[in-house]
């Protein structure tokens, strides 16, 4: 029977194609179960300048998940992150629980076996070890159907599920921007982009689907930037003076990935890395950023 | 447990290999088998056979992508079981409908020069799939590799069933043209 022979032949195609199709597919939106933030805590976060990827001005139950990116500032408490497959992942929304019941999660990737914080007291071997974590020790890592595990991973600990996203390589070699956006499947998933003040707040400008995809194309060509101490200070100044903007890429699954752009320094942060904005960025989007109001962060 | 660790268990001839495999890939393989056989009981047996085949294959094989390796075994075993079943009684289940769709991909015998072996055919299908867009490729493979139903594919990709069908129809036509052009006779 020729069709059966063809079916068998299809079965012998290259493994990578099978793997892609196995993980392919857009699933229903991921929704945080319950995220309760006290107003005081929110204010505190704003004041001390923790960029968590969360749009803190929106009504709290509607907070969208996003990449937790630290820019020029220190987190409150240990950063919630772990190592897997040579890369560093950060718990989205600093470890907010997620409901994955709509997903057929079966593929276990590994577990969080080592306490990464232990390395600070001299157990250095764990800092770069796969499975080393600062949080949810003992948790299990799972692939999320429809997502590349290189970018996004589900973590289960004591029956509670969390989501983590790629931010860096463990050895601190820079991630390639093209790789980052590719494993995030950004061109397919992005629906629009919002430009916000660095610390979040009201959207200042919206880029539609086509523009957002064009922006991803351009940012994919960004090259890693090696910043000097002076440049780090300039970035901090740009942040406080309202010259740094949050670029929130809103995905079709209801989640968001947040980047930070400082156009006048030609810098964009992607994950934990800094990159030079490609020349094409200024040509296509420079006017938009020029027209945005600058909102300096109040001192104190 | 990481795939590489599971494979190592097989190579060490540790019986926990099968338990670990079942824990990680049991549902995945069962779904493929059930898609072909439309029978939970048969699918269960097929998955058990898959673990035995994997046990026999490792060593000497050391698959780089365990999911694809196991899925392929399940798929072939399910098809064997389907063939045996239909030899006794002509089919008519959803998988037979899937197979009949594949008629669209078959070049007419007089348009090709020689029969291709399965490896050559698979290689050409891989070439073809790499040349088409992601959505068409993934939709095609969800249907004809994983044997998903049209409804499941529509749900997975957030599109209508009719759109899935029309995408599959176009892709089958393009595959037929590709195979004919490359002289592949199934």
């Amino acid at each position: 029977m020729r069709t059966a022979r063809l079916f068998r032949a299809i079965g012998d195609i290259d493994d990578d194609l099978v793997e892609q199709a196995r993980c392919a597919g857009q699933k229903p939106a991921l929704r945080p179960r319950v995220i309760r933030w006290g107003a005081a805590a929110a204010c505190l976060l704003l004041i001390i300048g923790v960029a968590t990827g969360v749009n803190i001005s929106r009504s709290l139950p509607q907070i969208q998940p996003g990449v937790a990116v630290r820019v020029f500032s220190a987190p409150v408490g240990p950063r919630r992150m772990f190592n897997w497959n040579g890369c560093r992942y950060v718990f989205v929304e600093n470890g907010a629980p997620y409901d994955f019941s709509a997903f057929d999660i079966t593929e276990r990737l590994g577990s969080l076996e080592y306490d990464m914080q232990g390395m600070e007291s001299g157990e250095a071997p764990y800092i770069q070890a796969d499975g080393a974590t600062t949080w949810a020790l003992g948790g299990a890592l799972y692939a999320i159907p429809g997502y590349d595990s290189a970018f996004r991973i589900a973590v289960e600990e004591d029956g509670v599920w969390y989501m983590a996203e790629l931010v860096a390589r463990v050895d601190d070699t820079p991630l390639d921007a093209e790789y980052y956006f590719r494993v995030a499947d950004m061109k397919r998933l992005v629906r629009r982009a919002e430009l916000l003040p660095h610390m979040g707040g009201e959207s200042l400008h919206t880029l539609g689907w086509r523009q957002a995809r064009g922006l991803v194309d351009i940012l994919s060509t960004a090259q890693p930037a090696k910043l000097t101490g002076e440049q780090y200070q300039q970035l901090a100044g740009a942040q406080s003076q309202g010259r740094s903007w949050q670029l929130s890429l809103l995905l079709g699954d209801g989640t968001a990935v947040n980047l930070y752009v400082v156009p006048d320094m030609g810098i964009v942060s992607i994950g934990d890395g800094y990159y030079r904005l490609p020349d094409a960025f200024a040509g296509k989007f420079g006017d938009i950023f020029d027209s945005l109001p600058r909102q300096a962060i109040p001192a104190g | 447990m990481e795939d590489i660790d599971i494979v190592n268990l097989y190579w060490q001839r540790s019986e926990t290999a099968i338990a670990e495999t079942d824990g990680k890939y049991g549902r995945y393989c069962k779904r493929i088998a059930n898609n072909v056989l439309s029978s939970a009981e048969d699918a269960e047996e097929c998955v058990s056979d898959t673990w035995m085949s994997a046990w026999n294959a490792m060593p000497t094989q050391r698959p780089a992508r365990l999911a694809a390796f196991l899925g392929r075994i399940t798929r072939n075993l399910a098809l064997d079981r389907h063939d045996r079943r239909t030899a006794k009684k002509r089919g008519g289940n959803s998988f037979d409908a899937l197979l009949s769709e594949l008629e669209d991909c078959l070049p007419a015998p007089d348009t090709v020069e020689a029969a291709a072996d399965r490896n050559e055919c698979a290689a050409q299908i891989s070439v073809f799939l790499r040349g088409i867009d992601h959505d068409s490729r993934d939709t095609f493979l969800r249907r004809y590799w994983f044997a998903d139903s049209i409804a499941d594919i529509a749900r997975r990709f957030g599109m209508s069933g009719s759109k899935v069908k029309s995408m599959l129809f176009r892709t089958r036509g393009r595959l037929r043209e590709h195979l004919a052009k490359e002289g592949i006779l199934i």
Side-chain angles (χ1 to χ4, degrees), chain B residues 37-102:
Chain B
L37 298 166
S38 303
S39 159
E41 191 184 341
D42 285 354
E44 196 81 56
E45 289 177 13
C46 192
V47 171
S48 296
D49 292 348
T50 300
W51 303 160
M52 286 311 300
S53 297
W55 181 260
N56 292 331
M58 295 182 284
T60 53
Q61 294 188 56
R62 193 179 274 280
R65 293 176 190 268
L66 192 57
F69 175 79
L70 296 169
R72 183 172 292 119
I73 294 174
T74 305
R75 204 174 171 278
N76 288 334
L77 289 172
L79 191 57
D80 290 343
R81 196 173 276 259
H82 171 269
D83 287 349
R84 286 198 298 274
R85 203 165 60 183
T86 49
K88 292 180 191 162
K89 184 178 96 178
R90 291 309 300 169
N93 69 5
S94 54
F95 182 67
D96 293 305
L98 181 157
L99 285 183
S100 69
E101 289 168 25
L102 286 175

Side-chain angles (χ1 to χ4, degrees), chain A residues 2-3 6, chain B residues 97-108 140 144 165-180 186:
Chain A
R2 294 173 73 204
T3 52
L6 178 58
Chain B
L98 181 157
L99 285 183
S100 69
E101 289 168 25
L102 286 175
E103 294 275 3
D104 294 350
C105 305
L106 297 171
F140 183 88
Y144 302 116
K165 284 182 191 170
S166 73
M167 278 178 86
L168 290 172
F169 178 78
R170 281 198 302 275
T171 310
R172 290 196 302 265
R174 290 168 68 187
L175 176 58
R176 183 185 60 237
E177 287 168 16
H178 179 85
L179 294 177
I186 310 294

Side-chain angles (χ1 to χ4, degrees), chain A residues 64-67 152 180-181 184 186-187 189-196 207 211-213 215-216 219 246-259 270:
Chain A
Q64 297 294 309
V67 171
R152 189 174 268 186
Y180 179 89
F181 288 114
M186 192 62 71
K187 278 193 74 178
L189 291 178
V190 70
R191 293 294 176 272
R192 65 182 197 280
E194 303 275 5
L195 309 184
L196 305 99
L207 302 176
Q211 274 188 306
R213 279 173 59 106
L215 180 58
V216 170
L219 293 180
Q246 187 181 132
L247 168 61
S248 188
L249 299 169
L250 303 178
L251 312 187
D253 60 12
T255 65
V257 170
N258 295 337
L259 317 178
I270 302 170

Side-chain angles (χ1 to χ4, degrees), chain A residues 1-11, chain B residues 79 99 102 106 116 118 121 125 185-186:
Chain A
M1 191 175 166
R2 294 173 73 204
T3 52
R5 283 205 299 275
L6 178 58
F7 184 78
R8 285 186 194 275
I10 291 169
Chain B
L79 191 57
L99 285 183
L102 286 175
L106 297 171
R118 196 163 116 191
C121 183
I125 294 169
L185 177 62
I186 310 294

Side-chain angles (χ1 to χ4, degrees), chain A:
Chain A
M1 191 175 166
R2 294 173 73 204
T3 52
R5 283 205 299 275
L6 178 58
F7 184 78
R8 285 186 194 275
I10 291 169
D12 292 337
I13 62 165
D14 297 341
D15 282 357
D16 62 311
L17 296 171
V18 177
E19 193 63 23
Q20 283 169 25
R22 189 170 72 89
C23 299
Q26 192 175 339
K27 287 285 188 174
L30 307 173
R31 289 180 291 278
R33 264 186 206 148
V34 180
I35 302 167
R36 298 182 189 281
W37 294 71
C43 289
L44 180 63
L45 288 175
L46 176 62
I47 292 165
I48 61 180
V50 178
T52 61
V54 172
N55 180 349
I56 58 180
S57 77
R58 293 181 182 168
S59 59
L60 296 179
Q62 295 164 36
I63 289 172
Q64 297 294 309
V67 171
V69 180
R70 284 193 302 164
V71 182
F72 337 128
S73 54
V76 175
R79 194 182 193 203
R80 293 176 173 178
M81 61 187 184
F82 63 85
N83 301 335
W84 181 71
N85 213 14
C87 289
R88 183 151 295 154
Y89 294 78
V90 166
F91 285 90
V92 176
E93 294 188 29
N94 205 30
Y98 277 78
D99 179 359
F100 287 106
S101 57
F103 289 79
D104 186 19
I105 290 185
T106 56
E107 186 186 349
R108 186 165 165 155
L109 302 171
S111 56
L112 301 177
E113 298 174 64
Y114 310 111
D115 182 357
M116 196 190 294
Q117 288 172 278
M119 62 87 187
E120 290 170 358
S121 58
E123 295 174 34
Y126 289 151
I127 188 170
Q128 294 193 345
D130 268 8
T133 186
T134 62
W135 195 64
L137 188 63
L141 308 180
Y142 288 89
I144 308 172
Y147 294 87
D148 192 328
S149 300
F151 179 70
R152 189 174 268 186
I153 293 174
V155 183
E156 186 269 333
E157 187 209 17
D158 293 336
V160 181
W161 289 84
Y162 308 95
M163 188 164 72
E165 289 179 347
L166 171 72
V167 291
R169 288 194 205 285
V170 169
D171 63 4
D172 288 331
T173 56
L175 284 169
D176 190 64
E178 188 277 333
Y179 172 81
Y180 179 89
F181 288 114
R182 176 160 47 82
V183 296
D185 205 4
M186 192 62 71
K187 278 193 74 178
R188 186 172 70 85
L189 291 178
V190 70
R191 293 294 176 272
R192 65 182 197 280
E194 303 275 5
L195 309 184
L196 305 99
H198 181 93
M199 295 306 301
E202 292 297 321
S203 172
L204 304 171
H205 189 89
T206 300
L207 302 176
W209 173 74
R210 217 170 278 278
Q211 274 188 306
R213 279 173 59 106
L215 180 58
V216 170
D217 272 339
I218 289 174
L219 293 180
S220 296
T221 65
Q223 297 300 310
K226 202 166 184 178
L227 302 185
T228 63
E230 190 181 347
Q231 285 172 313
Y232 278 110
Q233 288 176 21
Q234 289 170 359
L235 281 171
Q239 176 191 2
S240 61
Q241 292 158 24
R243 292 183 287 113
S244 172
W245 282 278
Q246 187 181 132
L247 168 61
S248 188
L249 299 169
L250 303 178
L251 312 187
D253 60 12
T255 65
V257 170
N258 295 337
L259 317 178
Y260 293 84
V261 181
V262 186
D264 60 5
M265 289 185 68
I267 296 291
V268 56
S269 75
I270 302 170
D272 277 359
Y274 296 107
Y275 298 78
R276 296 272 170 218
L277 282 169
D279 292 343
F281 177 87
K284 279 222 164 188
F285 299 99
D287 289 347
I288 294 172
F289 280 87
D290 286 347
S291 68
L292 299 178
R294 295 183 176 185
Q295 299 178 5
I297 296 176

